[in-house]
Amino acid sequence: MQESSQISLKLPTPDSFPAFPFDPPYSIQVDLMRHLYSAIERRQIAIAESPTGTGKTLSLLSSALTWLDDDKYRACKGQIDALTGGDAPEWVISQTRDRLRRELEADEQEYEERLAAARKREEAQRRKFFARSVKRQVCYFLVFCTTADNCLQKPSPDEPAFDEEDSFLPDDDDDELDGKSSQISYFRKRRPGCTTSANQDNDRPSCTKIFYASRTHSQLSQVVPELRRLRREVRRNKAPSPPGHPSVAGATSDEGGKRKYDSMGSETDIDHGRSETRFVSLGSRKQLCLNEKLKAKGGDLDERCRELLQAEGEKRCPYLPKPDAVEDNRLHDFRDQILASPKDIEDLVAAGQASHTCPYFASREAVSQAEVVTLPYNLLLHRDAREALNINLTDQVVVIDEAHNLISSLLSLSTVTLPLGTLNHCLEQLSGYVSRFKNRLASKHVLHLKRLYRLLHTLKGLLSNWEQRNTTEVMTVDGLLSKLGGKLEEINFLEIQTYLHRSKLARKITTYAQKAKSKGGQKGVLDHTELGTPPLYTVQEFIVALAAATDDGRIIFTHKPPSHGKDTSEIQIKYQSLNPAPQFRAVVDAARSVILAGGTMSPMSDLTNQLFAHLPSERITLFSCHHITPESNLRTLIIPRGPQGSELNFKFSNMENRDLLFELGQIVANFARIVPGGMVVFLPSYKMLDRVKNLWEEKGILSSILDKKKVFVESTADKFEVDPSLTFSFAQGKGALLLAVVGAKLSEGLNFSDDLARLVMVIGLPFANLGSAELQERLKHADRLAGEVAPKDSAYSAAGKELYENMCMNSVNQSIGRAIRHKDDWSMLVLVDMRYQSERIHNKLPRWIGKSLIVTQSFGQAIKTASQFFINKRQS
């Protein structure tokens, strides 16, 4: 009987997904949804490649939420079965089951009614907020700003000053608010007399949820419109449908496009009783803070917010609830509004303004009862960030979109750079702090501060001695300790890290430096607002990295290139982990299932080798599908020879070959004559981009191209005044040619659909610079992990070479993914370099290229094939 019950609680993979908004879905969409559903149920790691335009986000959400609904039914069934077991008569068991089912349904119904009331309340606030005239809006904000001014005014003589020097002294333990998880706990404490939903939810168990992460908030903002498209009805008013049956009703979907908060419908056309996916989007204070007065002051917004959080009376931020029953309800009411209907970051800010409540803290309060949580990579992957948000990944579903960025993001999170200038600023701040408070510091704090000062001073001496060298040196952490010598024998990095965490010294010194500077400045005390990141914060991160260092970590001494306003380079010391797996392993080990998805995930071996080498092969499942477009809409050419018949090899040593670059210009000019729309040409580097542009101008090739198409060139500037894709579209009449760089801003995240890019060309193979000390260490580390020894004639063995090639092809695949953006789109891909002929290389191209790949034997064949393709498409 028990074995039969266990079997019945296994979820079969459904054949259809009624939540998917388009009926019928394409077969590749059903295949993807079935694959992901099965992976979640079987607790697997899924790596899924689904090209742009195939409905990847909708498929991810539909499959994950369908499993979530079925799992909820399974949990209810298991709970009822557990309470009705035994030898009682069948009629008793039946009545008990009915009673328990009604109780569970009543609890869900009560919660849904609360969210429906929150939707109604939000709509009333929205109408009131946006219906005001401009004059009344000004008055409205003047009232708020007056309150905000009051919260930042100097305290009255009757009240204790918040910036008294006692607040700058180190904490003796870690019981105080630390700006992380304790801030959330602060709002979760039960207040005397508070008997509403605030306290009720403290006893409500956290639900299983989907954590949906991507690299940027702009990518995450695309999730909300797709979520609104789903035809999902969470059956809370009656027992859920059993697994294997439709788990959603065929309700009319919401409009899928992004809607502004002030245009989300009137009170009469909103169904306040409908059930929505409980969704919350997590962002930073910089994105969610409503206190314009506070943001205008500049500096460390996180620290200034913490100050106002601990302030009392009118000195508190007006958007922060006060610690009493009424104000506590204000935060929890807004939390319910967040869960009542999906909102992205912009919507959260607008809703927070309408309810006059902080969306930063309210969104964090909403995590516990959310079904879907979107967050950027750093909040998911960084252990401290997860702890700060009270995020527990145990048995949850983790979806990482645009996962081709995952390895680089993990390595970046584990890298800490400490320039000599920052170290000097930190020593000055520390000296000024100790000088001011030495008579008020307890002996244990004096001892710890002396150790910290000695460590920093010794590091400064080591960096200063290195400053005259024009080389880069890599060493292990043990090698660094050896160079520091006996001066630090009694210093324990873990002990210093623990002290910095518990005493909150970085924050104390930073705040003191800022206050001292604002009051006229004290000698030796610098305002961190002039320095970007507070110096001691960077030092603390470096010490944390050293304390947690493993055999995979390396210390690198190098020169930082001259920055804006400086003529000389600056020496810096960097800690870098060579292995991305340990940081990600905590996520993999805790989560029920992890899904890595992207439009171009090839070569997938890069992810399996670097992140999942410790897992058995049966736990990893791979999925890759062809494009949603007909095969006739895509053609891929490999061009190994130019118009003159010479071999095309754009390796680094050939970058100065003017004949080769001239022949490349002829190739581009010939294609410009036959391509009916836009062209995007990706080159390996900005340096090569400048070379070909100058040579083509000199030889008249550029003017020949300009006769056919307008030419745009990607800039190295950090920001564009005009979106480059918009600028590019101005020339759609006869088509334009865009010269861009592989791995730069235009090779990822922008859509060159339809006539914007009827041809995407990639020049050469963008291998990373092997002269980089960091890269050399990574490749050697890959060999060590594989247990391989490099042959005498090579610096690296097979594992190192595989990693090197994978890094290159990952960049190529992202660039060619700019074409074919929807099911009716068509384009040609052209790969210009003889090395693409290698089976080892073109096997690392995305699977969706499929049978469209042609290795041409001559340039004439390439032009003939391309001409016929474009003629056929114009006629179709």
Side-chain angles (χ1 to χ4, degrees), residues 437-498:
F437 295 103
K438 60 185 177 183
N439 295 327
R440 302 185 60 185
L441 293 169
S443 58
K444 65 175 182 179
H445 293 302
V446 173
L447 177 62
H448 283 299
L449 288 170
K450 283 182 178 180
R451 289 175 177 172
L452 176 62
Y453 187 88
R454 193 182 315 152
L455 170 61
L456 301 185
H457 192 269
T458 305
L459 279 174
K460 175 186 174 181
L462 188 61
L463 280 172
S464 298
N465 293 335
W466 207 273
E467 196 167 13
Q468 303 307 317
R469 307 187 186 186
N470 194 27
T471 59
T472 296
E473 182 169 346
V474 182
M475 64 186 70
T476 63
V477 174
D478 288 340
L480 172 66
L481 296 179
S482 176
K483 283 190 174 294
L484 293 175
K487 302 175 183 178
L488 301 178
E489 283 184 353
E490 74 280 16
I491 293 181
N492 183 304
F493 284 109
L494 184 58
E495 199 173 90
I496 293 179
Q497 173 202 349
T498 303

Side-chain angles (χ1 to χ4, degrees), residues 582-731:
Q583 191 159 6
F584 193 55
R585 184 166 182 169
V587 175
V588 173
D589 291 347
R592 176 190 183 93
S593 176
V594 177
I595 297 170
L596 308 185
T600 48
M601 297 294 292
S602 301
M604 293 185 182
S605 60
D606 197 33
L607 289 164
T608 55
N609 292 342
Q610 294 197 63
L611 297 180
F612 308 119
H614 65 287
L615 294 177
S617 58
E618 58 268 20
R619 271 213 71 193
I620 302 170
T621 176
L622 308 179
F623 177 90
S624 182
C625 62
H626 294 291
H627 218 295
I628 204 168
T629 62
E631 289 185 4
S632 61
N633 282 16
L634 177 66
R635 187 73 72 242
T636 304
L637 304 181
I638 293 176
I639 301 181
R641 295 181 179 276
Q644 308 301 322
S646 56
E647 290 186 337
L648 301 172
N649 189 335
F650 293 94
K651 61 183 180 181
F652 181 76
S653 59
N654 287 340
M655 291 303 177
E656 301 285 350
N657 187 329
R658 290 171 61 86
D659 291 338
L660 181 64
L661 299 185
F662 176 76
E663 198 160 6
L664 173 61
Q666 291 180 315
I667 293 172
V668 175
N670 274 282
F671 273 99
R673 294 188 184 100
I674 64 173
V675 175
M679 296 173 55
V680 184
V681 178
F682 288 103
L683 294 113
S685 66
Y686 282 111
K687 195 171 184 179
M688 183 177 177
L689 175 61
D690 291 336
R691 284 191 185 126
V692 299
K693 185 180 66 171
N694 294 335
L695 180 66
W696 294 355
E697 285 178 341
E698 175 189 333
K699 298 295 186 179
I701 295 177
L702 199 58
S703 62
S704 173
I705 296 174
L706 285 168
D707 289 340
K708 298 295 181 182
K709 300 185 185 297
K710 191 167 183 177
V711 176
F712 295 89
V713 180
E714 181 175 8
S715 167
T716 57
D718 293 333
K719 293 183 179 179
F720 294 93
E721 292 186 4
V722 181
D723 186 334
S725 64
L726 180 62
T727 304
F728 187 39
S729 69
F730 291 159

Side-chain angles (χ1 to χ4, degrees), residues 786-828:
E788 299 175 354
V789 179
K792 293 181 180 180
D793 60 343
S794 176
Y796 313 103
S797 67
K801 291 177 182 177
E802 175 80 2
L803 173 59
Y804 191 48
E805 286 180 359
N806 286 347
M807 293 169 63
C808 169
M809 293 308 296
N810 184 281
S811 298
V812 170
N813 292 340
Q814 290 308 306
S815 298
I816 64 179
R818 299 310 94 207
I820 309 290
R821 309 302 290 182
H822 57 82
K823 68 180 181 65
D824 296 319
D825 204 356
W826 56 269
S827 184
M828 171 169 280

Side-chain angles (χ1 to χ4, degrees), residues 60-208:
L60 289 170
L61 292 172
S62 295
S63 56
L65 287 170
T66 298
W67 178 87
L68 200 67
D69 289 340
D70 291 346
D71 182 62
K72 182 182 296 183
Y73 169 82
R74 172 170 54 186
C76 291
K77 185 176 185 300
Q79 189 175 353
I80 292 173
D81 289 347
L83 294 174
T84 57
D87 300 325
E90 184 62 33
W91 67 270
V92 174
I93 294 177
S94 177
Q95 288 189 355
T96 305
R97 283 177 180 273
D98 291 340
R99 177 179 56 80
L100 291 173
R101 185 178 293 109
R102 286 194 299 272
E103 290 175 357
L104 291 172
E105 290 171 0
D107 180 62
E108 283 297 317
Q109 177 68 18
E110 181 183 356
Y111 189 64
E112 279 303 309
E113 288 174 355
R114 205 173 86 201
L115 294 185
R119 280 192 287 274
K120 217 169 186 179
R121 189 167 55 248
E122 178 185 6
E123 175 62 19
Q125 290 174 349
R126 186 195 64 79
R127 289 166 61 85
K128 182 178 180 181
F129 184 76
F130 289 103
R132 297 174 184 273
S133 66
V134 174
K135 180 177 179 180
R136 292 185 66 190
Q137 283 187 30
V138 172
C139 295
Y140 182 73
F141 283 107
L142 282 176
V143 172
F144 284 1
C145 290
T146 302
T147 308
D149 288 340
N150 290 338
C151 79
L152 297 174
Q153 289 174 355
K154 295 181 179 179
S156 64
D158 298 331
E159 296 177 337
F162 177 65
D163 61 349
E164 287 180 339
E165 292 187 342
D166 285 347
S167 65
F168 301 134
L169 297 177
D171 288 353
D172 289 324
D173 53 51
D174 58 355
D175 293 333
E176 300 297 323
L177 291 172
D178 64 357
K180 293 184 177 180
S181 58
S182 54
Q183 289 188 14
I184 309 300
S185 301
Y186 174 80
F187 290 112
R188 290 182 178 165
K189 292 177 182 176
R190 298 188 180 191
R191 311 291 196 264
C194 181
T195 58
T196 61
S197 63
N199 278 346
Q200 294 169 12
D201 270 6
N202 286 331
D203 299 321
R204 186 179 181 86
S206 176
C207 64
T208 303

Side-chain angles (χ1 to χ4, degrees), residues 44 198 249 478 500 502-503 540 793:
Q44 291 179 311
D478 288 340
L500 289 173
R502 291 185 174 178
S503 67
Q540 181 170 338
D793 60 343

